[in-house]
Amino acid sequence: METADVVVIGAGANGTSTAYHLARAGVKNIKVLEKDHLAAGATGKSGALVRMHYTNEHETRLAVESFKYFENWSDVVGGECGLNQIGLFVFTPPEHYDDLEANVAMQREVGAETYLLTAEEAAEIDSSVSFDDVTHVAYEPRSGYADPNATVYSFARAAMTLGVDFRFDTPVTRLLTDGDRVSGVETPNGVIETSTVVVAAGAWANKLFHPIGIRLPLEPRYARVSVFRWSFDRPEKHMTYIDRINGTWSRPVDGNCTLIGAEVGVRPTDDPDAYQESPSQDYIDHCRRQLVHRFPVMRHSTMRGAWAGILMRSGDSRPVIGALDQYEGLYCMTGDSGTSFKTSPAIGKCLSELITTGTSQTVDLTPFRPSRFDEGKPWVDQHTYGTDDIQDTISR
Ligand SMILES: Cc1cc2nc3c(=O)[nH]c(=O)nc-3n(C[C@H](O)[C@H](O)[C@H](O)COP(=O)(O)OP(=O)(O)OC[C@H]3O[C@@H](n4cnc5c(N)ncnc54)[C@H](O)[C@@H]3O)c2cc1C
């Protein structure tokens, strides 16, 4: 019978980060089991925006801690993460100025470099954007985007160097339990006995949870993007943008295109394996309209590509990270709700701390605990932008 000290299920950003941090903390005999390949889930399809703007302190702390990795990637992890620090604007509805101001103050308090600018000040930084419907923006000069695949490859390489055993094309078909504790995992190649399992299976987590009676409000959702070539008269300046008014986010890609994600008609699905990797024409038309609204010059741009990914949305749109009370030794990171690439370095570190010491020191994971739903305490942010209909689906 094979054994492991820890089994991590899923080799996306969060699974590889967790395995890497566990190995760095001195845990031996770690096995990462991945049904496909590195970054095969949401991670490989991610827009990979790296920014600090959250509407709550806890996720901001994860983002701030993670940013230290992204900025110093080759020294800390080794390899590349492809960070491009081109700056970020966040557009919010003018009537939510007080919320924007409170959030920027909170983010500065926990260590983010972010500023509140008037639309006029912002236009001096980037004149290619239409500020018609905004009075103020949040500005993060050091934020931008990264390469999600490179990030995972370097987490995996660093973990392998520390002795972690990665098994690709190896689905976990069942979590095994013994009374009130986890005892192993089943794969087509046999059983691996272990007392500690981390489910970092993204949109597939329910397939492992349901058979052992764990029911969390988790729902797989499509997230889609499309890519448009910069037009003839598009200025070179191109930052990263989160548009809370129109429900879009965008950033450059390939040095001459804009990658835009628009959260419209996001459909839940029961089966994360049955999704189509190509978005519909309706979706592309919607992206084009939203793009032109924010960047008028892009009315002359050519569509160059589009894809869809699948992620896991939680009942309160916040990640679900920590120990599952139902079975000792069982931990999870899921319910990313479209925003846990940029926080994956800190999530892996915190999970490793929780597993090895019983508490997470880097960032307190208590607010993310899976039991919050059973306790009737889903997460509610104090300062939102009144766009709940799109906010709960936006991936960025
Ligand atoms: C289009 C899109 C845009 C996004 N934009 C951003 C962004 O700009 N910024 C940001 O921070 N986040 C963004 N996100 C969200 C981000 O990508 C995710 O939060 C993050 O990648 C989740 O990583 P993960 O490792 O938790 O899950 P995943 O990357 O989904 O990894 C889960 C892995 O588990 C494997 N697996 C599942 N079940 C099993 C099993 N039974 N046995 C073995 N392996 C299994 C899967 O094959 C997969 O590889 C975006 C997501 C999408 C789809």
Side-chain angles (χ1 to χ4, degrees), residues 10 13-14 34-35 42-43 46-49 172 336 340-342 396:
N14 287 296
E34 165 55 55
K35 69 183 177 65
T43 303
S46 184
L49 266 54
V172 170
D336 67 89
S340 303
F341 164 74
K342 73 185 73 57
R396 59 313 188 224

Side-chain angles (χ1 to χ4, degrees), residues 50 52 67 71 83-88 113 140-144:
V50 173
M52 254 60 71
F67 197 61
E71 275 202 314
L83 180 65
N84 263 293
Q85 296 178 274
I86 52 173
L88 165 95
E113 187 186 351
E140 296 180 13
R142 281 157 59 213
S143 294

Side-chain angles (χ1 to χ4, degrees), residues 250-264:
S250 53
R251 60 129 161 132
V253 64
D254 295 343
N256 57 18
C257 293
T258 296
L259 182 152
I260 179 167
E263 303 310 316
V264 61

Side-chain angles (χ1 to χ4, degrees), residues 345-367:
I347 289 172
K349 182 159 192 232
C350 292
L351 267 175
S352 158
E353 290 169 350
L354 186 66
I355 292 165
T356 55
T357 72
T359 54
S360 55
Q361 298 87 34
T362 301
V363 176
D364 181 12
L365 286 182
T366 311

